[in-house]
Amino acid sequence: MTLWLYLLRRFLWALIQVSSVVLLLILVFAGVENMRALSGYGAGVQDALAITALQAPAILNDTFPLILMLAALTTYLGLSRSSELVVVRAAGVSGISALHMPVFAAIVLGIAAVMAFNPLVSLTREQALSLTNQFTASGQSTLSLSDRDAWLRQGTEEGQTVIQAARVDGGGQLLSGVTLHDYGTDGQIRARLSARTATLTPGAWELREVRRWALDPSSSAVLAPPEDLALVRLATALTVADIQDRLAPPEQVPIWALPGFIAQLERAGFSALRHRLYFATELARPALFAAMVLIGAGLSMRHVRFGQTGIRILIAVLAGFALYFFKDFSESLGANGSIPILLAAGAPPGAAILLATALLLHLEDG
């Protein structure tokens, strides 16, 4: 037990060191980039630093698998240089057994990242985006969902339009049971429209079976009697892709609320494939963390007298980036529906664990 606790302490200390360095680099580079990007919008240094602080948890969350790999690499290179691994093997403990505690710690950290850190990342990511939009996107179109309806706000040079739809089909191309509120540039309502359907065409919404209430010119707060129209075209710059992009990205939805949000999306008529894939990849995060520790340790457990330490470090870093590439490629196939979601989320960490374990068995056997 003393040996396992010692190895765990060495690994956690290396993890703290590597995380601190990476976090410092994130704050420096992201802070400089935010100050450069927001300087033209009147944002001050304090605003840029606040946005950077809110972005830091999300960036750290994305890079944490690589941090784990570097921590494992640092730990076992140190143990190899000090010949402690030789002593461990001489005591009858195999190199694979010496990995039990770091891998266990990685799995525990993965569970904590999903259950506790993920909601914090979602919250700070949304706040960072909201704060950034205060300077750069004041008139951006937005889309939100309630329990029964979908709400879309679009902005044009002539004003704002708020669209409420009871049903969405075609990924946002066809709206049913539509109510629209048309506002001028001064924020005052100009008209209210009710339509059976609204179809998105290039450059306009086509409203059918429309009843329109215009603002009464004699009163600034009373709508005129309704007017029935067969077809009304309402100008828009939106496309179907724009509407789908306005949905809350899965990264901004806490893991605990994601199943309910997925059900809400499908009830409203939108595809929830991207959100289902994100949910599956988050659940696979503990396996990904374990795979990165195995990769880092597997290429650093040979004694330094064998040489080629720099090459092994380079191979480990390249293997980590290769796993990231494979992960992104697999998730792209899953997002397109080309492969099942469970395969897209589980194949990269599963394959990495098997390959890293095979490497460790080969080295131990040698």
Side-chain angles (χ1 to χ4, degrees):
M1 179 60 69
T2 302
L3 174 62
W4 308 135
L5 292 178
Y6 174 73
L7 293 173
L8 177 62
R9 186 169 64 250
R10 287 286 297 265
F11 173 70
L12 293 179
W13 176 240
L15 181 61
I16 292 173
Q17 290 177 312
V18 175
S19 299
S20 300
V21 172
V22 172
L23 182 59
L24 179 61
L25 293 175
I26 289 172
L27 293 175
V28 171
F29 287 102
V32 171
E33 175 60 23
N34 284 328
M35 284 188 284
R36 183 200 63 80
L38 297 174
S39 60
Y41 295 97
V45 175
Q46 292 182 344
D47 297 316
L49 293 178
I51 292 173
T52 302
L54 291 171
Q55 291 174 341
I59 301 175
L60 187 65
N61 184 62
D62 293 337
T63 57
F64 199 73
L66 286 177
I67 292 174
L68 281 170
M69 187 201 68
L70 294 175
L73 194 65
T74 302
T75 300
Y76 286 93
L77 278 177
L79 293 172
S80 297
R81 285 195 180 98
S82 62
S83 298
E84 289 174 280
L85 281 180
V86 176
V87 176
V88 169
R89 289 188 173 98
V93 179
S94 67
I96 295 180
S97 297
L99 282 172
H100 287 172
M101 289 306 292
V103 171
F104 175 74
I107 294 174
V108 171
L109 288 172
I111 295 173
V114 174
M115 300 301 177
F117 196 58
N118 175 276
L120 174 64
V121 170
S122 301
L123 177 62
T124 56
R125 194 192 299 265
E126 184 177 0
Q127 290 179 342
L129 182 61
S130 176
L131 189 56
T132 303
N133 286 341
Q134 291 181 14
F135 298 100
T136 62
S138 59
Q140 188 179 20
S141 300
T142 59
L143 175 64
S144 62
L145 301 175
S146 66
D147 291 338
R148 293 183 300 175
D149 300 318
W151 294 80
L152 174 66
R153 179 176 63 84
Q154 66 173 30
T156 64
E157 295 180 356
E158 299 178 354
Q160 302 280 333
T161 303
V162 177
I163 304 174
Q164 176 188 2
R167 175 71 185 175
V168 181
D169 295 296
Q173 188 172 15
L174 178 62
L175 310 179
S176 303
V178 184
T179 301
L180 302 93
H181 295 84
D182 186 21
Y183 295 88
T185 54
D186 57 357
Q188 296 295 323
I189 188 169
R190 295 184 298 193
R192 179 178 179 272
L193 298 91
S194 175
R196 185 174 64 85
T197 61
T199 305
L200 183 61
T201 61
W205 288 100
E206 287 190 353
L207 311 177
R208 300 185 181 277
E209 299 183 18
V210 182
R211 173 163 289 189
R212 183 176 184 271
W213 293 264
L215 185 67
D216 190 343
S218 61
S219 174
S220 60
V222 178
L223 296 176
E227 177 184 9
D228 292 326
L229 302 168
L231 176 66
V232 172
R233 289 179 59 86
L234 180 67
T236 184
L238 292 174
T239 63
V240 174
D242 291 333
I243 293 176
Q244 293 176 347
D245 289 341
R246 297 301 185 270
L247 287 169
E251 298 84 3
Q252 293 183 16
V253 182
I255 191 73
W256 299 105
L258 201 52
F261 188 78
I262 289 172
Q264 195 176 35
L265 277 177
E266 294 177 339
R267 191 164 53 244
F270 290 99
S271 171
L273 184 61
R274 186 172 51 142
H275 295 74
R276 288 184 177 276
L277 176 62
Y278 177 77
F279 185 67
T281 54
E282 283 297 294
L283 294 181
R285 184 169 283 264
L288 177 63
F289 282 11
M292 298 303 279
V293 170
L294 289 172
I295 290 173
L299 293 167
S300 59
M301 294 186 70
R302 296 187 66 187
H303 198 274
V304 292
R305 66 184 177 86
F306 292 129
Q308 299 181 335
T309 302
I311 294 177
R312 282 184 281 148
I313 294 174
L314 178 61
I315 293 174
V317 173
L318 292 177
F321 281 108
L323 176 56
Y324 261 66
F325 173 78
F326 179 41
K327 179 175 177 290
D328 289 342
F329 179 71
S330 177
E331 290 176 3
S332 297
L333 294 178
N336 293 330
S338 302
I339 60 177
I341 288 177
L342 292 180
L343 179 63
I353 289 174
L354 292 177
L355 291 174
T357 303
L359 174 63
L360 285 166
L361 290 172
H362 170 73
L363 294 176
E364 286 298 299
D365 181 64

